[in-house]
Amino acid sequence: MSFVEYGDTIKDGDTAIVFLGHESMFPVKVQHGSVTQTKYGVIRHSTDLIGKKYGSKVTCSKGGWVFILHPTPELWTMNLPHRTQILYSTDISIITMMLELKPGSIVCESGTGSGSLSHALIRTVAPTGHLYTVEFHQQRAEKAREEFREHGVEHLVTVTNQDVCKNGFGVSNIADAVFLDIPSPWEAIGHAKSALKAEGGRICSFSPCIEQVQRTCLAMEESGFTEINTLEILLRVYNVRTVSLQIPDLGKAAEDNSSAGFDSSSPSHQGSSCANLQQGTVQFKSGVPLREVVGHTGYLTFATKS
């Protein structure tokens, strides 16, 4: 199993996603002899998982069922263990596009954190690219190395435990892109410039506060970066549902005109339309925004090395 290479069958040692519903899923490490508890009952790894195909419908001990999904960076973002605040797919998608990443790209990242963005970057630059990720916290760096090894992508990533603001990324003049998610990104702009290729490399800095953005933009300008711009991505989800609206009373003339517009030769049209008119309501498909919407996550500042 690898996050960048699809496998048909579930094997011992794989990381799989147990899907109970769109709002309920979790990762599990498949191990011979182990069991996993769900609200629908027990899943026995040896008999219920190992050897089955990804996407299979598995019946639990209480009679309920779940789906077992192959892991992807998107599913991992939704289910990973949080060691830090993470980036979600809304921001990750624009970062990948604006940094112009593709298979074979070399990317530097700081900090690694919980590895949400790291997995997406690795999938994008595979199979010939590489990610150099720097994490200040030693235990988080060690945990990231362990996860990359378990997920079959360790050959595509190098994890370094050091302070990027003091020691940089450990590489020079090879990166196609640099991403910064640290409290004081302006202190790492010089090291980012050194890591980027001679010309045309892209940089992105993620910051939750506008004061951080201001200082970062000044540091970028002083270091000779061009095309500096800042974005904020706000996601608004709509729930499509059927609503019943009351037919307005427009008078007898309007009723005659509207009745003349119906095709009396169609029995199905006659039945449904007349029923709605008699009841005084008509049904429409409507998009309604959710009551709770994810608001500000952070500002994304992009620039190009000239």
Side-chain angles (χ1 to χ4, degrees):
M1 184 278 304
S2 171
F3 272 55
V4 297
E5 297 176 359
Y6 183 79
D8 286 332
T9 58
I10 305 170
K11 299 180 178 63
D12 188 15
D14 282 4
T15 298
I17 305 296
V18 179
F19 181 89
L20 291 81
H22 289 288
E23 302 298 328
S24 179
M25 62 184 90
F26 59 89
V28 61
K29 184 174 181 179
V30 180
Q31 293 179 317
H32 185 77
S34 297
V35 297
T36 297
Q37 295 282 350
T38 73
K39 63 182 180 180
Y40 301 126
V42 172
I43 301 174
R44 294 175 175 81
H45 295 196
S46 301
T47 56
D48 298 333
L49 299 183
I50 296 176
K52 299 290 181 65
K53 286 190 174 183
Y54 279 106
S56 297
K57 184 177 179 180
V58 174
T59 302
C60 304
S61 61
K62 292 182 180 179
W65 48 266
V66 299
F67 288 105
I68 308 299
L69 306 181
H70 191 284
T72 64
E74 291 79 14
L75 288 173
W76 185 246
T77 291
M78 297 170 63
N79 296 283
L80 58 78
H82 286 229
R83 300 183 289 273
T84 60
Q85 181 58 266
I86 69 169
L87 289 175
Y88 291 91
S89 297
T90 307
D91 289 317
I92 291 173
S93 60
I94 197 71
I95 291 169
T96 303
M97 184 188 73
M98 294 293 288
L99 289 182
E100 302 173 2
L101 301 182
K102 59 186 181 298
S105 295
I106 305 297
V107 187
C108 293
E109 175 197 26
S110 183
T112 312
S114 301
S116 173
L117 176 64
S118 303
H119 282 80
L121 294 178
I122 292 169
R123 194 263 307 273
T124 303
V125 304
T128 56
H130 201 83
L131 172 65
Y132 294 90
T133 182
V134 178
E135 173 56 52
F136 176 78
H137 194 276
Q138 182 179 358
Q139 291 179 335
R140 287 201 293 263
E142 292 173 353
K143 186 61 178 177
R145 288 194 193 98
E146 179 184 341
E147 285 182 349
F148 293 142
R149 184 169 56 254
E150 290 178 352
H151 298 165
V153 296
E154 71 275 10
H155 61 291
L156 297 169
V157 57
T158 299
V159 182
T160 306
N161 173 220
Q162 64 187 29
D163 186 352
V164 71
C165 296
K166 295 180 179 179
N167 307 114
F169 294 93
V171 296
S172 299
N173 302 320
I174 65 169
D176 297 290
V178 170
F179 177 79
L180 298 174
D181 182 8
I182 54 178
S184 52
W186 55 89
E187 296 181 2
I189 296 300
H191 293 296
K193 184 177 180 181
S194 299
L196 286 169
K197 59 187 181 181
E199 186 177 359
R202 295 279 287 166
I203 184 174
C204 174
S205 174
F206 176 89
S207 298
C209 302
I210 196 64
E211 292 81 6
Q212 294 170 303
V213 174
Q214 292 170 336
R215 295 189 64 175
T216 302
C217 289
L218 288 174
M220 287 179 175
E221 190 174 11
E222 291 172 358
S223 295
F225 284 91
T226 59
E227 300 178 344
I228 302 172
N229 62 88
T230 299
L231 309 176
E232 181 185 22
I233 310 301
L234 300 177
L235 179 66
R236 191 176 190 188
V237 179
Y238 280 77
N239 181 24
V240 178
R241 62 186 185 185
T242 302
V243 296
S244 296
L245 299 179
Q246 190 171 16
I247 298 176
D249 183 5
L250 301 178
K252 187 176 187 305
E255 290 179 3
D256 293 339
N257 290 337
S258 62
S259 298
F262 289 109
D263 183 5
S264 58
S265 63
S266 172
S268 59
H269 203 157
Q270 275 185 336
S272 60
S273 300
C274 292
N276 284 335
L277 287 172
Q278 290 173 0
Q279 295 170 2
T281 62
V282 63
Q283 291 186 331
F284 291 96
K285 288 291 184 181
S286 175
V288 182
L290 302 180
R291 293 184 178 180
E292 295 183 2
V293 180
V294 176
H296 172 74
T297 56
Y299 300 102
L300 293 168
T301 300
F302 296 91
T304 303
K305 183 179 178 180
S306 61

